[in-house]
Amino acid sequence: MLSAVDLAAIWLTFKLASLTTATLMVVGTPIAWWLARTRSRIKALVGAVVALPLVLPPTVLGFYLLITLGPHGPVGHLTQSLGLGVLPFTFAGLVVASVFYSLPFVVQPLQQAFEAIGPRPLEVAATLRASPWDSFFTVIVPLAKPGFITAAILGFAHTVGEFGVVLMIGGNIPEKTRVVSVQIYDHVEAMEYAEAHVLAGGMLLFSFLVLLTLYSRKGTSVWK
Amino acid sequence: MTADSAIHACFHLDWPGFTLDVDLSLPGRGVTALFGHSGSGKTTLLRCLAGLERQGSGSLRFKGDVWQDSACGIFRPTHQRPLGYVFQEASLFAHLSVKKNLDYGRKRVNGGHKVSLDHAVELLGIGHLLDRMPDRLSGGERQRVAIARALATSPELLLMDEPLAALDLKRKNEILPYLERLRDELEIPVFYVSHSPDEVARLADHIVLLSEGRVVAAGGLRETLARLDLPTAFTEDAGVVIEAVVTSHDDAYHLTRLDFPGGNVVVARRPEAINRRLRFRVHARDVSLTLTRAEGTSISNLLPASVTEIAAADTPAHVLVRLDAHGTPLIARITRRSLDHLNIIPGKCLWAQIKAVALLA
């Protein structure tokens, strides 16, 4: 039912979403922590920048990433001088783009979880001799666990569902940048509706199950 | 008290609408009550001592160790100060069992455990709760666990921020005996924030009176409460605290006699055994004065005393008369007319009739 090309696209999508989610947990946690704790005047600015992918057309995001990461962009210059080549139209470039694209879906649930915990547990931990790092991992992470799970699920699912950014920055290279959403587009272009149905139906079922899991988790407020 | 055993605290903090400005030398042992109305800065002072307020300037020397000195850029963060802190509301870690809450601070302390875990558990009576999660505890139980958790780190200083404020009277009375045991059995200084005169009178050895971020008075509990020049805090409730010993019980009349320097009082039968120490408050409004020892009165508690000071009371009709009953200070609240009629002046010897005492146990 699924061709080798379809399977390759599914595997690539899974790989992309997993790597992106892992990166986002590392990158998004400090950003969310800072946003939840800071009284800085640039909090609103940073919050708005993080949230931009929520409202921007993916093509706009993809376009600017293409320019920035491309051979004549500032990041492109840097990656070339480091001997890494340029990122657009590579799998690595796709991961970088996806991190930006899914950033708010990870940062916002984490920020809300951190804000709900408040400063008190950290103060309590400090009076019990725990250093800031120690108390983050032994108090904040366990208390924010529902937030971390929500963030990971949303980050993964949202990355699986991207299309516009992939097309702008990844193109359509089999086993490198051709993810499921692009493969569906190809099938439809080629009038292969039966094949498109299988993949599209699979995506529909996957997305529905993810959201169902998220919404039926007891006692957690789900970020919408 | 040598300089080395004391705690010197000097803090200045400017917030919009609130300034904390204190310079205190506090005793290095016993219970010191930080007392004042809400907004007087008691909690802020306690947080400064703990290092939880980093803004502002100040210095803190604890028994010879410098914990903080903004002039030299020294600031020991909270987790490096050997203190225990009990917050006003339940502050147990919700994701850990009672046992793991107790272990959290304890296993992070290097070196000797002066207070064993078993002792802390026994002292607070929480042995039967160890396997429970915090959400399965009552408010009073949670607070007892929080106190035991702080003690289990063998702190050299215990800070308590109105640990009973969030509890109803029943729970308060359930915890107060444990706090008294702490005071009597542990040899560490305890700072206790409260706005309840009864709690302070019952637990404290020393008192710091705060108002609008400043220290109004500081000193021993008995002497400080017996001062007539202190505004607000105790005026509507002026009175003294007397520490006495149970000396005898009268089973026929169901009475108990309490002795203290300067005399004794007889109160309704107490459950305490002979020789137990008890504190009681005598409100100024419950003390009346007679020039001669009254006969034919139903009041049985009469003490000879001399007048030391006379001051204005909370109404223009009344005055506060400070008395010395052979070493025990007393305050009487009488009318200005009685003052003139009886010609009460400092130095005069007379009799104080105590209509009622409030026992603090």
Side-chain angles (χ1 to χ4, degrees):
Chain A
M1 204 161 75
L2 288 168
S3 66
V5 186
D6 288 342
L7 284 173
I10 292 172
W11 172 238
L12 187 73
T13 306
F14 177 77
K15 228 169 59 175
L16 174 66
S18 305
L19 259 171
T20 303
T21 307
T23 311
L24 274 171
M25 296 314 271
V26 176
V27 174
T29 303
I31 298 176
W33 182 254
W34 183 83
L35 282 170
R37 285 286 176 272
T38 187
R39 285 182 211 153
S40 162
R41 259 178 276 166
I42 62 163
K43 174 181 171 167
L45 185 83
V46 175
V49 169
V50 168
L52 268 180
L54 288 176
V55 291
L56 274 184
T59 44
V60 173
L61 187 68
F63 175 64
Y64 283 118
L65 281 171
L66 188 62
I67 304 266
T68 317
L69 304 179
H72 305 296
V75 178
H77 279 299
L78 183 74
T79 53
Q80 285 175 94
S81 67
L82 291 171
L84 298 170
V86 288
L87 288 169
F89 309 109
T90 65
F91 179 70
L94 217 51
V95 172
V96 172
S98 305
V99 164
F100 281 99
Y101 179 61
S102 296
L103 190 62
F105 290 83
V106 169
V107 168
Q108 292 190 355
L110 284 180
Q111 184 185 342
Q112 283 178 5
F114 294 153
E115 281 170 352
I117 291 170
R120 183 47 56 84
L122 274 185
E123 292 186 347
V124 173
T127 67
L128 294 169
R129 312 285 198 283
S131 69
W133 280 105
D134 182 358
S135 44
F136 182 80
F137 286 108
T138 55
V139 175
I140 300 302
V141 170
L143 287 178
K145 199 169 109 192
F148 277 99
I149 293 173
T150 303
I153 292 178
L154 282 175
F156 188 92
H158 188 246
T159 306
V160 167
E162 73 178 293
F163 174 70
V165 176
V166 179
L167 219 53
M168 293 297 283
I169 200 145
N172 189 355
I173 306 164
E175 297 189 22
K176 272 198 183 150
T177 63
R178 187 189 284 165
V179 294
V180 173
S181 57
V182 177
Q183 179 71 359
I184 295 171
Y185 183 73
D186 280 358
H187 280 315
V188 174
E189 285 281 275
M191 305 292 276
E192 298 160 354
Y193 276 33
E195 288 84 350
H197 262 307
V198 174
L199 284 181
M203 283 284 268
L204 183 68
L205 193 66
F206 166 77
S207 304
F208 173 71
L209 288 178
V210 162
L211 291 180
L212 188 68
T213 317
L214 214 52
Y215 281 79
S216 45
R217 274 171 58 225
K218 219 180 107 201
T220 47
S221 63
V222 171
W223 179 84
K224 282 171 273 220
Chain B
M1 183 175 63
T2 63
D4 262 351
S5 70
I7 299 158
H8 300 279
C10 172
F11 295 109
H12 185 86
L13 203 68
D14 255 318
W15 280 337
F18 176 77
T19 302
L20 181 78
D21 197 359
V22 297
D23 189 350
L24 279 168
S25 281
L26 300 162
R29 55 172 304 138
V31 175
T32 301
L34 305 180
F35 183 81
H37 292 297
S38 44
S40 59
K42 343 182 257 302
T43 296
T44 309
L45 175 56
L46 203 71
R47 290 174 60 85
C48 284
L49 290 166
L52 292 170
E53 297 294 342
R54 292 201 75 138
Q55 307 103 313
S57 57
S59 63
L60 175 59
R61 215 166 70 234
F62 181 83
K63 299 189 175 182
D65 280 349
V66 178
W67 284 9
Q68 190 172 336
D69 191 343
S70 45
C72 309
I74 298 171
F75 186 93
R76 254 210 234 182
T78 303
H79 69 275
Q80 290 170 5
R81 300 183 183 199
L83 52 84
Y85 198 112
V86 179
F87 291 85
Q88 185 171 343
E89 75 292 332
S91 56
L92 300 182
F93 295 129
H95 63 294
L96 298 177
S97 69
V98 167
K99 177 80 173 65
K100 287 186 171 159
N101 264 283
L102 293 172
D103 283 339
Y104 190 91
R106 182 178 170 71
K107 68 183 188 197
R108 284 171 170 76
V109 176
N110 304 317
H113 289 283
K114 276 179 286 179
V115 183
S116 75
L117 186 62
D118 291 343
H119 188 207
V121 167
E122 188 263 334
L123 207 55
L124 276 305
I126 51 169
H128 59 296
L129 305 173
L130 293 179
D131 295 326
R132 295 230 203 129
M133 293 304 281
D135 59 0
R136 302 295 307 277
L137 302 177
S138 73
E141 289 169 340
R142 263 180 237 164
Q143 211 51 304
R144 269 152 61 196
V145 174
I147 295 167
R149 183 178 63 176
L151 286 179
T153 64
S154 299
E156 288 170 37
L157 168 67
L158 184 59
L159 305 172
M160 304 180 101
D161 184 7
E162 305 209 38
L164 308 183
L167 305 175
D168 58 32
L169 194 64
K170 188 164 166 282
R171 302 279 172 228
K172 270 184 196 165
N173 289 331
E174 166 193 320
I175 294 189
L176 272 165
Y178 293 109
L179 295 181
E180 283 176 323
R181 286 186 66 187
L182 286 187
R183 180 193 62 197
D184 298 339
E185 292 187 23
L186 299 178
E187 297 203 320
I188 56 168
V190 177
F191 289 157
Y192 189 96
V193 165
S194 180
H195 66 255
S196 153
D198 279 342
E199 262 172 59
V200 170
R202 184 164 166 181
L203 293 173
D205 305 305
H206 316 276
I207 184 167
V208 174
L209 275 176
L210 287 161
S211 178
E212 293 175 354
R214 288 169 188 281
V215 176
V216 180
L221 180 77
R222 278 197 325 158
E223 306 87 83
T224 309
L225 291 194
R227 274 172 60 178
L228 297 184
D229 60 338
L230 296 177
T232 56
F234 278 92
T235 30
E236 69 270 25
D237 218 11
V240 296
V241 172
I242 296 174
E243 191 156 316
V245 179
V246 178
T247 47
S248 65
H249 296 298
D250 177 346
D251 288 329
Y253 285 112
H254 280 266
L255 296 172
T256 294
R257 181 175 143 159
L258 306 171
D259 276 44
F260 51 89
N264 61 72
V265 292
V266 175
V267 300
R269 180 75 157 88
R270 295 291 308 175
E272 286 82 4
I274 307 281
N275 285 332
R276 270 291 307 273
R277 302 191 78 79
L278 268 183
R279 283 183 180 189
F280 59 90
R281 285 186 82 195
V282 179
H283 292 283
R285 59 167 188 267
D286 291 331
V287 179
S288 60
L289 303 175
T290 60
L291 295 180
T292 53
R293 186 187 173 114
E295 302 292 336
T297 167
S298 66
I299 296 173
S300 53
N301 292 321
L302 292 165
L303 297 173
S306 61
V307 175
T308 52
E309 192 184 350
I310 296 161
D314 49 330
T315 75
H318 291 91
V319 289
L320 292 175
V321 179
R322 188 179 140 138
L323 307 157
D324 174 29
H326 298 280
T328 297
L330 279 175
I331 300 177
R333 182 174 178 271
I334 61 171
T335 61
R336 194 173 291 280
R337 191 175 68 167
S338 299
L339 183 83
D340 287 344
H341 280 195
L342 299 178
N343 190 26
I344 293 172
I345 51 165
K348 195 173 184 97
C349 290
L350 36 64
W351 290 83
Q353 305 192 89
I354 299 171
K355 281 173 271 186
V357 302
L359 280 140
L360 301 165

